[in-house]
Amino acid sequence: MNFQGMPSRRGGFRFHCLCKDRKMPKMKTKASAKKRFRLTASGKVRHNVANKRHLLTAKSTKMKRQARGTEILCDADARIVKKFLPYG
C-alpha cells in the first residue's frame, strides 16, 4: 500500500491510502426531489398533481376531480429530475 502523509490543521499527519481498490464517493440524492417524485418501472417520472392543497372552495369540482392521483412528467422535465435521483 502506498501512503501519502498530508499535514492537517491540528498538527500531525493524516494518511490517505492511494490503492487501486478505492471507490468513488457515493452521489447524493436531492432530498427535495425524493420527496416529490417517484420513478415507474419503465423509467418515467411520476409526480402529484398541483393545486389541491388549499383554497379548495374557490375551485371547481371538475378541477378538484382532475387533480386527483398522479401524473407522468413530460420528457424535458423528467431529464432534469433524473439527474437529481442518481440511484432511482
Side-chain angles (χ1 to χ4, degrees), residues 73-81:
L73 209 60
C74 70
D75 292 334
D77 292 333
R79 270 184 250 125
I80 297 167
V81 171

Side-chain angles (χ1 to χ4, degrees), residues 54-69:
H54 57 87
L55 301 174
L56 295 175
T57 55
K59 296 178 175 112
S60 67
T61 307
K62 180 181 177 180
M63 183 177 183
K64 290 185 276 191
R65 185 176 61 247
Q66 289 177 342
R68 283 184 200 145

Side-chain angles (χ1 to χ4, degrees), residues 42-57:
S42 61
K44 295 180 180 177
V45 181
R46 190 167 51 183
H47 70 99
N48 289 322
V49 186
N51 302 318
K52 191 90 189 286
R53 293 292 182 199
H54 57 87
L55 301 174
L56 295 175
T57 55

